[in-house]
Amino acid sequence: MKTAKASLLLLPLLGLALLAGCNKTEEPAKPAATASYLEKIKARDKLIVGVFTDKPPFGFVNEAGRYVGFDTDIGRQFAKDLLGDENKVEFVAVEPASRIPFLQSDKVDLILANMTVTPERKEAVEFTNPNLKVAVQALVPQASTVKNLDDLATRTTIVTTGTTADIWLTKNHPDWKLLKFEKNSESLQALANGRGDAYAQDNLVLFSWAKQNPGYRVLSQTLGAEAPIAPAVKKGNIELRDWVNAELAKLGEEKYLLKLYDQYVRKELSDDTKPESVIVEGGKWQG
């Protein structure tokens, strides 16, 4: 009898406990912490950078098969400051048209391949602060009868697919005849072979080519306004973008870009070219 009475007394208590359990509000699950992208790079122990291989003096492969150039050396410096060793960088060859897709598909962490900042590209990637400035011009053989850009309206202009020149001419002169190639080297070779009347490209590349290959001249007019060139990361990767900006600011205090200019670029341009007309030290663009 005592056992039965004890059981009857326990039943109300058990019911109250069940009701309390049913009425208890469950705490929402806490979202998993987003992994730091910089920590991801550190865990991999390697920075992956997209660069050109055929665009001296910015990105090219020397006789020993080593990636070298203005942009490439910046990539090595980034690896040194982030991972403690300039050799902890993997360079991935890109073409103008593949730069953005390589970022979007996570094939590279960063693009250091002479990419001009444009409104269209800003929709697709995160640009850091600039490191260079550039204008688009046209290269023609010295003996060409082409004197200005208007003369190209009835000629064939060579461009490299995905470059600022390609985008600008396609938008502003859709009636012009364009001959397109995937590689900068292919475009220059096509001009040398007489397959087109002019080659439109970033003027720094054209100045370098004209100096190394006598018999060419750069038209004085520009296609559009002077614009900044900047490293780029995947859209939304604010952490890496901000790290690069801080790195460019730090390197600017050391005049690091001036050192690279003296090493790679100065000899490619005329003696009266001012470094500040080419490089943007510390990422401080004034346009």
Side-chain angles (χ1 to χ4, degrees):
M1 290 294 293
K2 289 183 179 180
T3 303
K5 287 182 179 179
S7 299
L8 290 172
L9 290 172
L10 287 173
L11 284 174
L13 295 175
L14 180 60
L16 289 172
L18 288 172
L19 286 172
C22 292
N23 292 332
K24 184 179 180 181
T25 303
E26 293 186 3
E27 295 183 5
K30 294 181 179 179
T34 303
S36 162
Y37 197 88
L38 292 177
E39 291 303 320
K40 175 183 173 181
I41 295 173
K42 290 176 181 178
R44 185 203 301 146
D45 206 28
K46 179 172 61 178
L47 178 67
I48 305 175
V49 180
V51 295
F52 284 137
T53 60
D54 64 346
K55 200 170 182 180
F58 299 100
F60 59 102
V61 179
N62 65 11
E63 298 80 1
R66 178 178 170 83
Y67 287 85
V68 291
F70 184 95
D71 288 336
T72 309
D73 277 18
I74 293 176
R76 288 195 172 90
Q77 185 64 42
F78 284 178
K80 180 180 179 180
D81 290 345
L82 182 60
L83 302 173
D85 186 345
E86 69 170 19
N87 295 312
K88 289 184 176 181
V89 59
E90 176 184 332
F91 292 116
V92 175
V94 298
E95 304 301 338
S98 68
R99 290 173 295 190
I100 291 176
F102 272 37
L103 278 177
Q104 293 174 331
S105 59
D106 296 317
K107 291 183 178 179
V108 297
D109 300 313
L110 175 72
I111 288 290
L112 280 168
N114 230 229
M115 188 151 67
T116 306
V117 178
T118 67
E120 296 81 8
R121 288 171 177 166
K122 288 173 73 173
E123 293 295 319
V125 302
E126 299 287 349
F127 279 108
T128 72
N129 292 334
N131 61 337
L132 291 164
K133 58 181 71 173
V134 72
V136 177
Q137 291 177 248
L139 179 75
V140 298
Q142 190 68 50
S144 172
T145 58
V146 173
K147 302 299 181 184
N148 53 54
L149 291 178
D150 289 340
D151 293 338
L152 296 178
T154 57
R155 313 293 180 95
T156 297
T157 302
I158 299 167
V159 294
T160 302
T161 302
T163 59
T164 309
D166 175 22
I167 296 168
W168 192 88
L169 284 171
T170 300
K171 178 180 179 180
N172 293 281
H173 293 286
D175 54 327
W176 285 21
K177 183 179 179 180
L178 301 182
L179 180 59
K180 302 186 181 187
F181 295 91
E182 293 300 315
K183 294 177 176 288
N184 183 62
S185 53
E186 293 173 345
S187 297
L188 286 166
Q189 189 59 51
L191 180 66
N193 293 342
R195 298 181 63 184
D197 299 285
Y199 176 41
Q201 175 60 286
D202 292 353
N203 56 6
L204 299 180
V205 175
L206 302 185
F207 292 144
S208 176
W209 172 262
K211 188 164 186 175
Q212 298 298 322
N213 299 270
Y216 294 88
R217 56 187 170 85
V218 179
L219 300 182
S220 60
Q221 291 173 283
T222 64
L223 287 73
E226 184 180 62
I229 287 176
V233 301
K234 187 175 182 178
K235 191 71 175 176
N237 193 345
I238 306 304
E239 182 188 14
L240 184 56
R241 183 201 67 186
D242 290 350
W243 182 88
V244 172
N245 284 339
E247 180 74 0
L248 288 173
K250 180 181 76 69
L251 294 176
E253 295 175 1
E254 305 167 9
K255 302 298 182 186
Y256 179 74
L257 296 190
L258 180 60
K259 296 174 186 175
L260 294 185
Y261 176 90
D262 288 339
Q263 181 179 353
Y264 290 109
V265 183
R266 186 182 293 277
K267 62 181 180 292
E268 306 287 348
L269 305 178
S270 60
D271 294 339
D272 60 350
T273 303
K274 296 181 179 179
E276 57 269 25
S277 69
V278 177
I279 60 174
V280 182
E281 198 74 81
K284 299 176 181 178
W285 165 257
Q286 294 180 351

